[in-house]
Amino acid sequence: MALIALAESAQDIASGFNKFVDPLPESSVEITALVAECYAISSALRRLSTAIDDPRYYQDVPFIYNDVAIVRESLDYTFRDVTRLFGGLGRPTHISRRAAFHHVWREIDDFFYHESHVSLRRRLETIKSFLLELTDLLIDR
């Protein structure tokens, strides 16, 4: 997946999380933080893509290429998991809208904690930091 397409996915994920704020006011702080991280990742991906495409840095791109591929793949998997978990909202159910959002929110939280022993927000913060470092490495080389 290209970096710009992944940046657009980050924005889509942010939009998806925005839908959780009203039904889950008790979790609005964490949800808003996730939305902010998604937009920050989108920005970082666009900045990295711009740097990679800049002729001034062409000779240095090979130094970060493998790391970019790893972080891109990790982020792609993370976004696919979130999108899959969002799908729980589309299933017909006998529970209220609030209960459905609460259930999916818990599933998201549990899934990422059990998978890597960190929250989704912490994972996104780490990915964002890595993207920013890669861009800085490329530009400052």
Side-chain angles (χ1 to χ4, degrees):
M1 177 180 275
L3 295 178
I4 296 301
L6 202 51
E8 291 167 358
S9 292
Q11 291 175 234
D12 292 342
I13 296 293
S15 293
F17 276 121
N18 261 328
K19 295 174 185 171
F20 284 72
V21 173
D22 286 339
L24 302 175
E26 70 279 4
S27 299
S28 64
V29 172
E30 181 67 17
I31 295 165
T32 303
L34 278 172
V35 170
E37 284 304 318
C38 288
Y39 280 115
I41 285 172
S42 177
S43 176
L45 286 162
R46 290 173 189 280
R47 184 172 178 246
L48 179 57
S49 178
T50 298
I52 287 171
D53 292 340
D54 189 320
R56 292 176 294 174
Y57 309 121
Y58 280 169
Q59 74 279 1
D60 295 321
V61 170
F63 292 109
I64 66 164
Y65 184 81
N66 289 337
D67 292 329
V68 170
I70 290 167
V71 74
R72 188 181 66 222
E73 187 173 324
S74 174
L75 193 54
D76 186 38
Y77 282 125
T78 299
F79 286 167
R80 279 194 235 167
D81 288 335
V82 170
T83 300
R84 179 182 51 76
L85 291 163
F86 279 172
L89 293 172
R91 292 186 204 120
T93 150
H94 61 282
I95 60 176
S96 70
R97 179 176 184 265
R98 175 176 161 58
F101 274 91
H102 181 74
H103 177 72
V104 171
W105 179 246
R106 286 295 115 224
E107 278 188 335
I108 289 169
D109 193 45
D110 291 346
F111 176 84
F112 286 100
Y113 187 78
H114 289 298
E115 183 181 74
S116 58
H117 300 287
V118 295
S119 67
L120 174 58
R121 185 170 99 178
R122 182 67 188 124
R123 181 186 289 195
L124 294 178
E125 289 170 346
T126 301
I127 290 170
K128 177 189 68 181
S129 295
F130 198 66
L131 288 167
L132 294 172
E133 284 295 321
L134 287 171
T135 304
D136 289 346
L137 279 171
L138 181 61
I139 290 172
D140 295 338
R141 251 186 103 65

